[in-house]
Amino acid sequence: MSGFDSTWLALREPADRAARAPAMVARLSSHLATVNTPRVLDIGCGTGSTWRSLANALPDSVCWTLLDHDSTLLDEAKKRIGERENVQFYQHDLTDIDGLPLKDVAIVTASALFDLCSETFCAALSARLAAQSCGLYAALNYNGVMTWTLPLPLDAQVLANFNQHQRTDKGFGAALGPDATDCLHHHLVAHGFELSCASSPWRMDAGMKDLQIAFLTGLRLPLVEIGNLSPAQIDQWISERISLIDAPDSLCEVGHTDLIALPAIALQA
Ligand SMILES: C[S@@+](CC[C@H](N)C(=O)[O-])C[C@H]1O[C@@H](n2cnc3c(N)ncnc32)[C@H](O)[C@@H]1O
């Protein structure tokens, strides 16, 4: 078990799909179209959201390996995707970077993963990708921004505390949280990759009420763990935020960044 609940992943999937930067998906697709028998490795696949969002946008010839360390999520991915000739599943702990199945992989994909990872992990993964001339598409990296059109007095403190919690260890050492894209950028450029980034925020209105409620109630534990606000202040803020979801012009934005990095050798091809 990784602690990522499949109900939460299902709830966020439509918002993630709507948020993905189309230019990054187009770049991924056009790159894969230049590769003979392209293989994609999706790391931290969860229940297969990246595959469901991208498979139809990429060339039919793409073969996928979906990798996660959580057997419950992988089983759910297998159930939802079903038996397909071009999709396989692989249980593996990403902290074993040398053991990643990168043979013949043209590009590694990941969604909502790198903010959980550490700088050490990103440095080592960048080096391994460079050694294999393998690209990286990393979507939906939280960038530290949360805004509401209808402000409340505690918003800034909630954001600061949440971002502080984002930097705590999620299994890879101190997490990058909002710094994930900058860190990947730094290490991938140092290895000669060609990079593009684009913004991919969630824009949640009342039509995404269930996601907003799950998101807001999910903030409670991190905020309590940081401890700068009392549980009563946190609960009050969450309940006021929930009551504002249906108000006119109410919109919550949560910032993310998508990144694609292609190895120099692939760009010359
Ligand atoms: C936020 S979820 C994103 C899941 C999926 N990519 C999506 O967009 O719905 C992060 C995923 O990373 C996986 N994960 C976290 N740490 C991992 C590790 N050390 N090795 C492999 N997978 C890991 C979790 O099991 C989870 O599926």
Side-chain angles (χ1 to χ4, degrees):
M1 260 295 288
S2 66
F4 287 96
D5 153 53
S6 58
T7 311
W8 164 246
L9 295 181
L11 206 47
R12 63 172 290 167
E13 188 168 323
D16 284 345
R17 187 170 301 152
R20 278 175 199 280
M24 300 297 100
V25 177
R27 185 115 174 84
L28 172 64
S29 183
S30 61
H31 171 59
L32 289 171
T34 67
V35 178
N36 285 331
T37 56
R39 174 161 289 283
V40 168
L41 173 67
D42 185 47
I43 58 174
C45 67
T47 67
S49 169
T50 309
W51 179 84
R52 279 186 292 282
S53 296
L54 295 184
N56 286 338
L58 303 184
D60 290 339
S61 53
V62 171
C63 291
W64 289 79
T65 303
L66 271 54
L67 177 151
D68 207 287
H69 66 160
D70 184 323
S71 58
T72 308
L73 294 178
L74 267 184
D75 285 346
E76 181 68 18
K78 284 181 203 165
K79 202 167 92 187
R80 294 191 60 188
I81 293 170
E83 289 276 324
R84 286 169 193 264
E85 232 173 54
N86 66 342
V87 183
Q88 56 184 234
F89 302 90
Y90 196 86
Q91 186 172 9
H92 182 77
D93 189 328
L94 281 168
T95 55
D96 173 12
I97 291 180
D98 289 342
L100 279 177
L102 283 181
K103 189 173 179 308
D104 299 328
V105 171
I107 197 151
V108 166
T109 60
S111 307
L113 176 73
F114 281 98
D115 36 59
L116 307 174
C117 300
S118 61
E119 167 139 32
T120 307
F121 175 81
C122 289
L125 181 67
S126 301
R128 176 98 212 271
L129 294 178
Q132 303 276 144
S133 294
C134 177
L136 177 68
Y137 164 82
L140 300 156
N141 305 301
Y142 174 62
N143 69 7
V145 176
M146 271 196 263
T147 58
W148 291 270
T149 45
L150 307 177
L152 288 175
L154 284 187
D155 289 349
Q157 193 170 355
V158 164
L159 178 60
N161 292 358
F162 179 66
N163 286 347
Q164 187 182 338
H165 194 275
Q166 283 278 300
R167 294 185 164 91
T168 60
D169 191 344
K170 310 292 187 309
F172 295 86
L176 288 159
D179 303 324
T181 303
D182 285 350
C183 179
L184 280 174
H185 196 286
H186 169 78
H187 288 288
L188 290 163
V189 165
H191 282 288
F193 283 84
E194 178 75 22
L195 259 88
S196 312
C197 294
S199 175
S200 53
W202 282 351
R203 291 200 175 89
M204 298 186 285
D205 60 14
M208 291 187 179
K209 187 170 183 172
D210 290 348
L211 178 62
Q212 288 206 60
I213 292 174
F215 177 69
L216 289 165
T217 51
L219 295 178
R220 187 177 193 279
L221 186 57
L223 296 175
V224 169
E225 284 180 359
I226 291 299
N228 288 338
L229 293 166
S230 70
Q233 284 176 302
I234 295 166
D235 289 338
Q236 173 72 19
W237 180 84
I238 291 172
S239 90
E240 284 180 36
R241 273 267 148 253
I242 289 175
S243 70
L244 286 172
I245 292 173
D246 289 318
D249 302 324
S250 178
L251 185 73
C252 169
E253 285 205 16
V254 178
H256 303 105
T257 308
D258 293 358
L259 167 155
I260 187 163
L262 298 178
I265 195 166
L267 294 165
Q268 286 158 15

